[in-house]
Amino acid sequence: MKAYRQLTLAQLRLFGRNRQVLFWTLVFPIFFMVMLGSFLGKGDSTSLSVTVIDQDQTTASKALLSSMKQLSILKLTESTDLNAAMKDLKHGDRQLVVAVPKGYEAAVSAKSASMQGSKLTVYFDETSQTTNQIGLPIMSQIADGISKQIVGYTPVVTIQSQAVQSLNLKYIDFLVPGIVAMMIMSNNLNGVAGQIASWRERGILRRLQSTPLQPRSFIAAQITARLLLNGAQAMIVLLIGSLIFGTQVNGSWILLLMFVILGTLTFMSIGFIIAALAKTPESAGPIAGFVSFPLLFLGGVFFPIKNMPDWLQPVVKLLPISHLSSALRQIMNVGASLADVWREAALLGGWMLVAFIIASLTFKWE
């Protein structure tokens, strides 16, 4: 027990003295979270930038412009230069250009769809899904509403809307659990592989093996030190997310801690496998990067898994980090219980068990 405590304290001191480790495992993820949260954390609301060219300059055209301004999704800019507006559209600075033709008021007053001036010209980027799926239907609805008002049309069938309050989640609420999962993976997968490979090359493991130290004490100390480090880092990230962006943990802190522990053990086991495969510390880093880099983008850290291609979904849903980030997200944002995330726990446990067995069979002291 004494050896276990001393090894644990020694490992924690190594973490504290290594400034590069502290920066890449703690400061950099927090900086990354704050930067992404500041730019994207306010939500995913859609808006369309629209330039209106009013070539009629009449009361009717002004009324049309007022109708468009009532829609918050449209960010309107008025202009008289169609060529400049088209140039902005082609450069991607605008998403729609609406030209109100001369004779618009005359066509509206005559209630004629065949008169010159009755057709609004809407220029759009045909490669943009946003304008195709949102912008054009909105402009069609505005024109249709004006037409119905002119002819006095009363619809027979109407829609009765009833609001339902849902979770008011922003991108930062999605990002913070992903950052915690990323830190757990990086600290244990890359950190364990590099450290063990370095100790093996320097002969530290060989000297430890020649002492009365039991292997279980060494492994237990490694696990305890990294659990304490990951727990402290997770708390710091959650605290900063709460103070700066107002994120919160709606579920059980105990359940959240359980997944931090489960994720730590899983990626530590994978890290020991990489350390066994790497012959030198220099090769441990690239191997760990080869494993961890794809997981960052396939594991639901920065964007939802459901947005990925259908053919990739079955593969993604087997990855340990995707289930770790999903479980942390459900606990923090939805307040999920163990009954809701038992599948994630089971899959992480399966990964941990298989990786631990492989690591035990491949681990070398020399």
Side-chain angles (χ1 to χ4, degrees):
M1 183 61 69
K2 183 178 179 181
Y4 158 74
R5 288 197 302 268
Q6 290 178 341
L7 282 172
T8 301
L9 293 174
Q11 182 64 62
L12 291 174
R13 292 192 191 100
L14 286 176
F15 290 145
R17 293 171 182 171
N18 194 327
R19 296 180 180 178
Q20 289 186 342
V21 170
L22 288 177
F23 176 81
W24 290 109
T25 62
L26 180 60
V27 179
F28 178 73
I30 291 175
F31 172 78
F32 197 58
M33 177 188 70
V34 171
M35 291 297 294
L36 282 178
S38 299
F39 287 110
L40 304 174
K42 294 183 179 180
D44 56 353
S45 58
T46 302
S47 63
L48 298 173
S49 55
V50 183
T51 298
V52 179
I53 310 295
D54 188 356
Q55 298 171 337
D56 199 44
Q57 294 294 325
T58 58
T59 304
S61 64
K62 298 298 182 184
L64 171 63
L65 189 61
S66 298
S67 298
M68 295 175 65
K69 287 181 177 179
Q70 291 177 4
L71 298 177
S72 59
I73 193 173
L74 301 180
K75 306 302 181 184
L76 297 185
T77 301
E78 298 181 59
S79 176
T80 57
D81 191 342
L82 179 60
N83 292 328
M86 293 298 294
K87 184 177 180 181
D88 290 339
L89 178 65
K90 292 177 180 179
H91 290 171
D93 297 327
R94 288 289 181 272
Q95 292 167 294
L96 291 175
V97 174
V98 180
V100 183
K102 275 187 172 299
Y104 171 77
E105 186 174 56
V108 168
S109 300
K111 301 181 181 179
S112 173
S114 60
M115 286 184 61
Q116 184 180 3
S118 63
K119 296 184 184 297
L120 303 176
T121 304
V122 180
Y123 301 94
F124 68 99
D125 179 5
E126 62 181 356
T127 64
S128 172
Q129 291 185 356
T130 302
T131 52
N132 290 337
Q133 298 175 4
I134 300 177
L136 295 181
I138 286 177
M139 293 306 304
S140 297
Q141 289 175 13
I142 292 174
D144 188 53
I146 292 175
S147 299
K148 289 176 180 179
Q149 185 179 5
I150 292 172
V151 300
Y153 169 74
T154 303
V156 178
V157 180
T158 59
I159 296 175
Q160 179 181 358
S161 59
Q162 185 171 350
V164 177
Q165 186 174 7
S166 63
L167 291 172
N168 184 24
L169 299 179
K170 304 180 290 295
Y171 177 67
I172 190 65
D173 296 304
F174 178 89
L175 179 64
V176 170
I179 292 293
V180 173
M182 180 189 74
M183 291 174 61
I184 292 173
M185 180 189 71
S186 179
N187 292 349
N188 297 286
L189 197 152
N190 301 56
V192 168
Q195 185 179 66
I196 297 300
S198 175
W199 284 2
R200 183 185 295 118
E201 184 182 58
R202 293 160 56 189
I204 295 176
L205 294 183
R206 184 175 62 252
R207 290 195 293 271
L208 288 174
Q209 186 186 20
S210 63
T211 66
L213 176 68
Q214 296 293 326
R216 60 176 178 269
S217 298
F218 171 74
I219 296 174
Q222 286 288 313
I223 292 173
T224 303
R226 292 191 177 274
L227 283 176
L228 292 174
L229 178 66
N230 290 164
Q233 290 176 331
M235 290 298 298
I236 292 173
V237 169
L238 295 178
L239 181 62
I240 291 176
S242 176
L243 293 176
I244 298 179
F245 301 108
T247 58
Q248 56 186 341
V249 178
N250 294 315
S252 168
W253 280 91
I254 296 177
L255 187 59
L256 190 70
L257 179 61
M258 186 194 82
F259 273 95
V260 171
I261 294 173
L262 193 56
T264 298
L265 296 177
T266 300
F267 286 107
M268 274 194 72
S269 301
I270 299 174
F272 273 106
I273 296 175
I274 296 174
L277 295 175
K279 298 184 181 300
T280 63
E282 290 76 17
S283 62
I287 296 175
F290 179 78
V291 175
S292 62
F293 188 75
L295 295 182
L296 288 178
F297 298 95
L298 296 178
V301 173
F302 303 114
F303 51 87
I305 295 173
K306 64 182 180 181
N307 292 346
M308 298 181 186
D310 293 337
W311 61 268
L312 194 59
Q313 296 272 346
V315 177
V316 170
K317 290 179 180 178
L318 290 176
L319 300 177
I321 191 172
S322 64
H323 289 270
L324 177 60
S325 60
S326 176
L328 295 176
R329 203 165 279 128
Q330 290 185 59
I331 295 169
M332 290 182 59
N333 297 336
V334 185
S337 63
L338 183 58
D340 300 314
V341 293
W342 69 268
R343 291 182 181 84
E344 285 77 9
L347 188 134
L348 279 173
W351 269 96
M352 180 187 68
L353 182 61
V354 173
F356 180 78
I357 293 173
I358 297 175
S360 301
L361 296 175
T362 56
F363 181 77
K364 303 180 185 68
W365 288 93
E366 300 182 13

